[in-house]
Amino acid sequence: MTTFPDGNFTIVNNETGRCVRVRLGRTKDVSDWKAGTKYLQHVTEEATLELGEPDGTPATAWWFSTIDDAAERRPFHQIVSHAVGEYQNIGNHCVWLDIQSHPTAEDRKRAADQFRHKLDDMPLDLKKKLYELLPAAFNAEAEAELGAGASLSEKLELWHGYCASLRFPEHHVEEDPEGVEAAVSYMDAAAEEGIHPPAVESDRTSTRMYGCGASRDKGSTYRWAYDGTHIYGADSETVPAERTYWTDEGGYLVGETKGGPGQTWTLTAWKPAPRTQSDPVRDIALTGLFGPLAGLFGS
């Protein structure tokens, strides 16, 4: 297994050219006066992970931690941000990956679309058979919307959309009891013919910056391996390693199964961007310390 580079390095996607980088959180002054005395206090927001320009700023620099994890009795194997540790007062932060197993409205909509298409693709003879189960009220509404000359397939497309929305609701809507009963009977009859609603695919991954000293829970990991091409989970104890391959998905860093686009990465020693004169304010700004204002200091 290929090891990570020594010292600070950059992580650049071979296919998109985007670089893994951090945007530092703002530091806010939350000082307050009490009994005539001002108590100084500052709060720093969490850093965020992003993919962007490999411009050589500290935001693009990372290092690999092999410090022993006392809780797990082995090295951490964390990919740690140089910029967070250098410029902020919140301790070292590293790349975490989370797997989300709770269906979202988008997940249910995708399943509803798949189910509707399966119903629409039924053989014509089965469509004619199941059409008899539609309530008269729906047929009247369908003719009013589509016209008296609407075909059986056109009416059923409307009905299938209704059935799919009931099976995979995106939000609660009061429905007519007669229509719901008829739709349930229709879907049960379709199931007897081998046409079943799909499972809701809800396993999604996301990445974030979080403290190096936090413990892993089920569904989250910070331990990484690198084979010279792919970055992926070093174990499957909290997240299945096969779901953790770093992927540039349209400008977002996520974990996917191996074999898709946007999964090959090059790690090289970090070389700070050259500049004509020393300007520490520009260095800090480009990390995102000042949030949107950082753009004002760009090249």
Side-chain angles (χ1 to χ4, degrees), residues 59 90 96 130 160 185 237 261 291:
I90 56 176
W96 286 64
L130 297 186
H160 293 160
S185 297
E237 293 185 13

Side-chain angles (χ1 to χ4, degrees), residues 119-199:
L119 293 173
D120 287 344
D121 291 340
M122 289 189 298
L124 182 58
D125 59 341
L126 181 57
K127 286 182 178 180
K128 291 179 178 179
K129 175 182 176 182
L130 297 186
Y131 179 76
E132 301 299 324
L133 300 175
L134 271 61
F138 174 81
N139 279 315
E141 291 179 8
E143 290 185 0
E145 180 174 340
L146 300 172
S151 67
L152 178 144
S153 293
E154 290 175 316
K155 293 179 182 179
L156 283 179
E157 285 178 4
L158 281 181
W159 179 248
H160 293 160
Y162 174 68
C163 290
S165 68
L166 287 178
R167 181 62 182 80
F168 301 102
E170 295 182 46
H171 48 78
H172 178 71
V173 177
E174 291 293 336
E175 301 285 355
D176 173 58
E178 182 182 354
V180 172
E181 184 179 354
V184 170
S185 297
Y186 187 92
M187 289 186 282
D188 287 345
E192 291 178 1
E193 300 292 338
I195 301 172
H196 302 278

Side-chain angles (χ1 to χ4, degrees), residues 6-185:
D6 294 329
N8 293 327
F9 54 85
T10 59
I11 309 171
V12 179
N13 189 276
N14 297 336
E15 299 165 56
T16 68
R18 285 186 280 258
C19 180
V20 181
R21 51 189 296 147
V22 67
R23 178 172 291 275
L24 301 188
R26 299 167 182 263
T27 298
K28 298 180 180 179
D29 183 354
V30 293
S31 302
D32 194 14
W33 288 87
K34 291 185 179 180
T37 301
K38 186 176 184 179
Y39 292 86
L40 300 177
Q41 185 176 1
H42 293 81
V43 174
T44 301
E45 297 176 348
E46 288 290 335
T48 55
L49 193 64
E50 61 185 17
L51 297 178
E53 184 69 20
D55 53 16
T57 59
T60 66
W62 304 87
W63 57 276
F64 188 62
S65 173
T66 56
I67 300 171
D68 281 340
D69 182 344
E72 298 194 16
R73 299 181 180 276
R74 55 183 160 178
F76 275 110
H77 287 180
Q78 294 168 329
I79 297 177
V80 186
S81 168
H82 163 71
V84 173
E86 186 73 14
Y87 297 116
Q88 301 208 281
N89 60 351
I90 56 176
N92 284 325
H93 276 49
C94 61
V95 180
W96 286 64
L97 179 142
D98 304 302
I99 189 165
Q100 172 62 262
S101 297
H102 301 292
T104 64
E106 181 182 349
D107 296 325
R108 289 189 288 272
K109 182 179 185 303
R110 185 181 302 107
D113 289 342
Q114 293 172 355
F115 188 37
R116 176 171 53 82
H117 290 313
K118 289 178 72 173
L119 293 173
D120 287 344
D121 291 340
M122 289 189 298
L124 182 58
D125 59 341
L126 181 57
K127 286 182 178 180
K128 291 179 178 179
K129 175 182 176 182
L130 297 186
Y131 179 76
E132 301 299 324
L133 300 175
L134 271 61
F138 174 81
N139 279 315
E141 291 179 8
E143 290 185 0
E145 180 174 340
L146 300 172
S151 67
L152 178 144
S153 293
E154 290 175 316
K155 293 179 182 179
L156 283 179
E157 285 178 4
L158 281 181
W159 179 248
H160 293 160
Y162 174 68
C163 290
S165 68
L166 287 178
R167 181 62 182 80
F168 301 102
E170 295 182 46
H171 48 78
H172 178 71
V173 177
E174 291 293 336
E175 301 285 355
D176 173 58
E178 182 182 354
V180 172
E181 184 179 354
V184 170
S185 297

Side-chain angles (χ1 to χ4, degrees), residues 127-278:
K127 286 182 178 180
K128 291 179 178 179
K129 175 182 176 182
L130 297 186
Y131 179 76
E132 301 299 324
L133 300 175
L134 271 61
F138 174 81
N139 279 315
E141 291 179 8
E143 290 185 0
E145 180 174 340
L146 300 172
S151 67
L152 178 144
S153 293
E154 290 175 316
K155 293 179 182 179
L156 283 179
E157 285 178 4
L158 281 181
W159 179 248
H160 293 160
Y162 174 68
C163 290
S165 68
L166 287 178
R167 181 62 182 80
F168 301 102
E170 295 182 46
H171 48 78
H172 178 71
V173 177
E174 291 293 336
E175 301 285 355
D176 173 58
E178 182 182 354
V180 172
E181 184 179 354
V184 170
S185 297
Y186 187 92
M187 289 186 282
D188 287 345
E192 291 178 1
E193 300 292 338
I195 301 172
H196 302 278
V200 180
E201 297 179 0
S202 59
D203 282 349
R204 298 202 184 304
T205 60
S206 60
T207 54
R208 59 186 167 109
M209 296 297 300
Y210 200 58
C212 290
S215 298
R216 296 188 298 172
D217 293 319
K218 185 173 177 60
S220 299
T221 191
Y222 53 63
R223 302 190 73 245
W224 302 109
Y226 179 57
D227 63 6
T229 303
H230 303 91
I231 302 172
Y232 53 94
D235 61 46
S236 297
E237 293 185 13
T238 54
V239 176
E242 63 270 16
R243 292 295 315 278
T244 64
Y245 282 78
W246 284 24
T247 305
D248 179 346
E249 187 176 74
Y252 294 93
L253 181 62
V254 299
E256 298 286 354
T257 54
K258 185 178 180 180
Q263 293 187 341
T264 60
W265 304 86
T266 296
L267 279 56
T268 55
W270 174 57
K271 297 179 180 180
R275 58 180 185 273
T276 56
Q277 62 183 24
S278 178

